[in-house]
Amino acid sequence: MTTTATTTADPVNPVNPTGLATTLTDGTLTVPGVPTGLFIDGRWRASSTGRTFDVQDPSTGQVIAAVADASPQDAQAALDAAVAAQDAWAATAPRERSDILRRAFDLIHQHSDDVAAVMTLEMGKPLAEARSEVAYGAEFIRWFSEETVRVAGRYGTNPEGTGRAIVLKRPVGPVYAITPWNFPLAMATRKIAPALAAGCTIVLKPADLTPLTALLLAEIFVRAGLPAGVLNVVPTSDAPAQSSLLLADPRLRKLTFTGSTPVGTRLLKLAADNVLKTSMELGGNAPLLVFEDADLDAAVAGAVLAKFRNAGQACVAANRFYVQEGVADEFAARLAQAARALQVGRGSEPDTTMGPLIDDRAVAKTSRLVEDAVARGARVLVGGAVVDRPGTYFEPTVLDDVQPGSQVLSTEIFGPVAAITRFGTEEEAVRLANDTEFGLVAYAFTRDLARTQRLAERLQTGMLGVNRGVIANTSAPFGGVKASGLGREGGHEGIEEYLESVYVLTADPFAS
Ligand code: NAD
C-alpha cells in the first residue's frame, strides 16, 4: 500500500486476492489496493445479492468506489462468525491480544499516508487533518493494547466476615458497532480496540458515506494476525434493516453507537428489547465561553480549532459562542479575521485548511440555519454563503448578535458557522450554556482558576476544555451527559464498557 501521484497497474492487495479492491484517486492522491468487499469470518466477500453502492468524494462530487452492499443475510453471516469466534477470542491470553493490537498500531503508522489519503478522498478533510486523525485513531489501539493486560477483578472478606467475595471481569460478548462518517478511522478504533482488548468479537457497520477507511482498517488487522471472525465489517445502504435484525438476535450482547441523537434513540429502543449493554456517543451543541479575563489570542486560536476543524463537522464542534460584553467586539472581529484567512478547497490541495461538507444535505441545512439567524437579526461578519464550485462547500462563517430563538442555537450545526451571543455575568453564561438538551463538551476561556472550578461543577457537560479548543485524548474518558449519550470511550473507563462483573461468594476458608 503506497500513496503515489500515479495509478498502479496492480490494484489487488496481497492479502485480498479476491479482486474486491480498487484504486482510489482524485488525480492528485492515489491509493491502490483499497478493499471494497465485505469482511466476514476472515475473508473478503461480495454481497450475497451482488449489489454495491457508490462512495463519492465530497470535494468533487465524483464517485470514487463501489462497495459491496451487505444484505441482512450478510449481516447474519457476520454475526454468526463473531459468535463462533467469541469463546476462543475471550480465552486468548491477554498478552496475545495485546500484541495483535500493538502490531495493528505499528501497521497503521507504517501505512499512515494511505490511511490518511483514503479518509481525505472519501470524506473530504484536509490531508493534514487526516494525518492527525491517523495518529489519534491509532493511539486508541496502542492505549488498549496496554490496557489488555491490566484488566483486574478483586478479592476480599465480606463485611460479615463469613465468606470471601471475588469479583471477576469477563468480556460481555459479541458486539455490534455503528460508526459515523465524520471521523472514519478514530470512531472505529475507539470501539474496535477496547472490544478486542476486553476479549469481545465485533461486527462493525461503518457509515455508508465513508466505508473505505474501515475496510482498510480490517485489512490492517488481518495483517496484524487477528483470527478469523473476531472482526467483521459489513457496510450497507440499508442500516435500519441491518440494525433491527442484529439487535434482535439474542446472541448479540452489546451495542456501541456513535452518531446522531435521533438515530441513537431509535437504536436504544431496539436494544432495550434484547436488554443489551449499550454505549452511545451522540450529538452535541457545545457552548464556548469567553470571559473578560481571557487571553484573547488563546481564545481566538481555540475557537478556530473548536469551530472550523473538520469544517465544523465534529460532535465536539463549538456551536454557541457566548462572549462577555467587555471583549465581545474584539473577539468577534478577530474570529472573523481568522475565518477569512481559512483556505477552502479540496483536502488533497496542499494549501487547503478547510474542506467541503459531506453532502448536499449538509450544505442545505447550514444555509437554512444561517438564513434563519439573519432573519432574526444576526449580523454576518464573514461568509454566510455556499461556495460556488463543484463539490459541497460552505464558507467559513461568523455571525454576531445571534438572537434568542434562532435555530442555530438549539440545533447541532455540523457546519462552519460560529454563532456569537453576548453575556454579562458568569451566572448568565452558565444558564445560557446549560440551556440545551445536549451535554457533550463545553469550552471556557478564562484565567481565573476558581471560576474554572465553578464551571466544572456547574456546566452540564461530560467534558470541559479550559483555554483549549481540542481536548480529545485517548487516555481520558470521552463522552456526554443528557442527550449526548451514555458511557465513555477511551481512558481506563473505555474497556469497562466491554466487560461485565461476575460476583462469586465463597465460604470462609478458615471455618471448619
Ligand atoms: P447518523 O446518526 O446519521 O449516522 C451514524 C451511523 O448510524 C451511520 O453509520 C449510519 O449509517 C447509521 N444509521 C443511520 N440510521 C440508522 C438506523 N436506523 N439503524 C442503524 N444505523 C443507522 O450520524 P452521522 O451523520 O453519521 O454523524 C453525525 C452525528 O454523529 C452528529 O450528531 C455527531 O454529533 C455525532 N457524533 C458523535 C460523536 C460522539 O463521540 N459523541 C462523535 C462523532 C459524531
Side-chain angles (χ1 to χ4, degrees):
M1 294 191 285
T2 45
T3 308
T4 63
T6 54
T7 53
T8 65
D10 174 18
V12 179
N13 196 293
V15 297
N16 181 9
T18 56
L20 294 167
T22 192
T23 296
L24 292 189
T25 184
D26 70 349
T28 305
L29 290 174
T30 298
V31 193
V34 178
T36 55
L38 310 176
F39 186 65
I40 300 173
D41 203 12
R43 288 192 303 117
W44 294 100
R45 304 186 187 178
S47 162
S48 58
T49 60
R51 290 208 188 100
T52 59
F53 63 86
D54 288 342
V55 180
Q56 283 182 5
D57 175 351
S59 71
T60 59
Q62 302 292 313
V63 172
I64 53 168
V67 167
D69 191 356
S71 65
Q73 195 184 328
D74 296 319
Q76 188 76 58
L79 183 59
D80 290 347
V83 169
Q86 177 58 58
D87 286 351
W89 181 245
T92 309
R95 177 61 69 203
E96 198 177 327
R97 296 202 298 272
S98 170
D99 286 346
I100 292 170
L101 285 165
R102 179 61 202 218
R103 282 198 294 276
F105 167 81
D106 290 339
L107 282 165
I108 290 186
H109 276 286
Q110 211 172 307
H111 297 293
S112 59
D113 285 350
D114 289 323
V115 183
V118 171
M119 266 193 283
T120 291
L121 287 168
E122 70 173 342
M123 191 272 161
K125 64 180 67 190
L127 256 186
E129 287 189 19
R131 289 200 184 100
S132 301
E133 185 177 341
V134 172
Y136 174 59
E139 209 50 51
F140 284 104
I141 300 179
R142 176 156 69 175
W143 173 265
F144 286 107
S145 81
E146 293 158 349
E147 291 293 281
T148 313
V149 292
R150 315 222 190 289
V151 173
R154 59 180 202 264
Y155 178 87
T157 304
N158 64 350
E160 299 74 23
T162 55
R164 299 293 179 269
I166 302 166
V167 179
L168 58 96
K169 298 280 183 176
R170 65 182 183 204
V172 65
V175 173
Y176 183 35
I178 301 177
T179 49
W181 49 265
N182 60 342
F183 291 96
L185 181 73
M187 297 304 95
T189 57
R190 218 161 71 167
K191 298 183 184 310
I192 294 171
L196 299 187
C200 295
T201 59
I202 187 162
V203 175
L204 170 69
K205 191 208 83 61
D208 51 334
L209 293 166
T210 59
L212 296 161
T213 307
L215 293 170
L216 193 58
L217 183 62
E219 181 153 311
I220 282 170
F221 273 107
V222 175
R223 293 185 188 194
L226 194 68
V230 175
L231 169 67
N232 307 273
V233 184
V234 281
T236 180
S237 63
D238 190 352
Q242 184 182 104
S243 61
S244 43
L245 178 82
L246 293 189
L247 292 173
D249 192 312
R251 300 170 303 164
L252 187 76
R253 292 318 315 142
K254 160 106 193 168
L255 165 67
T256 172
F257 172 78
T258 299
S260 62
T261 298
V263 172
T265 310
R266 232 172 290 147
L267 294 175
L268 269 175
K269 287 178 184 152
L270 292 174
D273 285 339
N274 204 359
V275 195
L276 293 180
K277 192 173 166 87
T278 56
S279 303
M280 310 300 286
E281 296 284 349
L282 307 179
N285 180 0
L288 186 147
L289 314 180
V290 181
F291 291 89
E292 282 166 359
D293 63 6
D295 171 345
L296 273 199
D297 289 337
V300 172
V304 168
L305 279 175
K307 181 70 258 181
F308 297 112
R309 189 173 64 103
N310 221 26
Q313 303 170 109
C315 53
V316 288
N319 221 54
R320 298 167 293 146
F321 289 68
Y322 294 119
V323 187
Q324 204 161 15
E325 275 146 10
V327 291
D329 285 342
E330 189 181 349
F331 175 83
R334 288 172 66 176
L335 184 60
Q337 192 182 6
R340 211 170 283 120
L342 290 169
Q343 187 73 36
V344 177
R346 285 165 62 184
S348 56
E349 289 164 352
D351 295 337
T352 296
T353 48
M354 199 185 91
L357 297 187
I358 190 69
D359 59 14
D360 290 333
R361 279 195 321 164
V363 173
K365 176 185 169 193
T366 309
S367 298
R368 264 198 321 275
L369 290 173
V370 170
E371 278 162 24
D372 172 75
V374 170
R376 291 172 195 264
R379 288 184 297 127
V380 180
L381 299 189
V382 62
V386 176
V387 180
D388 183 19
R389 60 179 284 170
T392 42
Y393 296 88
F394 199 89
E395 292 174 344
T397 298
V398 178
L399 305 176
D400 200 358
D401 290 329
V402 175
Q403 298 300 308
S406 301
Q407 289 169 26
V408 80
L409 299 177
S410 53
T411 310
E412 183 179 31
I413 304 169
F414 239 58
V417 178
I420 298 177
T421 303
R422 287 135 199 262
F423 70 85
T425 63
E426 181 183 312
E427 198 63 29
E428 189 186 354
V430 169
R431 185 178 53 71
L432 289 167
N434 286 342
D435 184 20
T436 167
E437 76 265 34
F438 295 105
L440 187 58
V441 65
Y443 303 92
F445 289 85
T446 174
R447 289 184 168 108
D448 182 337
L449 177 60
R451 190 206 304 283
T452 302
Q453 292 170 284
R454 287 193 297 275
L455 292 174
E457 294 189 22
R458 296 176 66 202
L459 290 175
Q460 295 164 358
T461 182
M463 301 178 284
L464 174 62
V466 179
N467 299 325
R468 311 251 337 199
V470 177
I471 64 163
N473 188 284
T474 46
S475 65
F478 186 107
V481 299
K482 297 161 74 180
S484 289
L486 301 166
R488 293 294 180 269
E489 291 190 323
H492 303 301
E493 293 83 351
I495 200 166
E496 292 292 332
E497 302 276 329
Y498 297 88
L499 294 168
E500 58 193 5
S501 298
V502 179
Y503 156 65
V504 180
L505 184 66
T506 68
D508 178 353
F510 295 102
S512 52

